[in-house]
Amino acid sequence: MNAYRAKPLTYPWPPLLYVAAVLGAVVLGRSAPISVTHSHGWGPWLAGSVMIAVAVFLDIWAVKTLIERRTAVLPHRCSSHLVTCGPFRFTRNPIYLGDTIAMVGLGLITLNPWFIIMASAAVAVMTLFAVRNEELHLLSRFGFEFERYCRATSRWI
């Protein structure tokens, strides 16, 4: 199979990685809690709720944009079009960014710093294994057009 037809990933594991990161944060929060003191009782909860709302909006907007452009939503499917509109104008990975923001929001709501640590780890693993493979796929499919998009749009934020 040539590079033009190659799939970016063999299995749609990015969502599973975020689920594993959330479960890891919950387990670590119970087995090795990090104490957090705060002076504002509802401040972290409110900030976390806003972050989760932003994350859900970003994820829905990104999926809606992909569907409207008639290209793959799942990360293990071949892209038929290079999408550079909607949230993809601001970040090349809005769904992963939304999932990361949601994890940080959960950490604020539950006052569990492990969520923030695991979100950082998830970003590193996603970049190394999923994002780079997806970018190679898009480069093989769209060439210079994708290179130009990469120069104009950051990978995460």
Side-chain angles (χ1 to χ4, degrees):
M1 183 179 287
N2 66 22
Y4 185 75
R5 292 179 161 194
K7 293 180 180 181
L9 301 170
T10 56
Y11 186 75
W13 63 271
L16 297 177
L17 175 68
Y18 278 103
V19 169
V22 167
L23 292 175
V26 170
V27 168
L28 286 167
R30 292 179 188 224
S31 64
I34 299 173
S35 64
V36 176
T37 58
H38 62 92
S39 59
H40 304 16
W42 54 272
W45 184 88
L46 182 61
S49 298
V50 168
M51 290 182 83
I52 290 173
V54 167
V56 168
F57 173 78
L58 186 58
D59 282 353
I60 291 171
W61 187 21
V63 169
K64 180 180 179 289
T65 303
L66 291 172
I67 291 170
E68 286 173 350
R69 298 292 177 220
R70 294 192 169 112
T71 192
V73 175
L74 297 175
H76 69 293
R77 300 281 169 95
C78 293
S79 297
S80 56
H81 302 289
L82 180 62
V83 179
T84 60
C85 59
F88 295 91
R89 288 178 298 186
F90 309 109
T91 176
R92 296 194 312 250
N93 299 289
I95 296 172
Y96 301 154
L97 179 60
D99 294 346
T100 304
I101 291 170
M103 281 190 67
V104 173
L106 281 171
L108 290 172
I109 288 173
T110 62
L111 295 176
N112 181 353
W114 284 111
F115 276 98
I116 297 165
I117 295 166
M118 293 302 286
S120 300
V123 166
V125 171
M126 289 297 295
T127 300
L128 285 174
F129 297 106
V131 172
R132 287 188 177 167
N133 286 335
E134 292 173 6
E135 288 177 347
L136 287 173
H137 165 72
L138 293 171
L139 182 62
S140 71
R141 299 270 304 180
F142 305 108
F144 179 72
E145 187 179 357
F146 180 68
E147 288 178 352
R148 185 176 39 208
Y149 173 62
C150 288
R151 283 193 298 272
T153 310
S154 69
R155 182 179 277 164
W156 288 96
I157 51 174

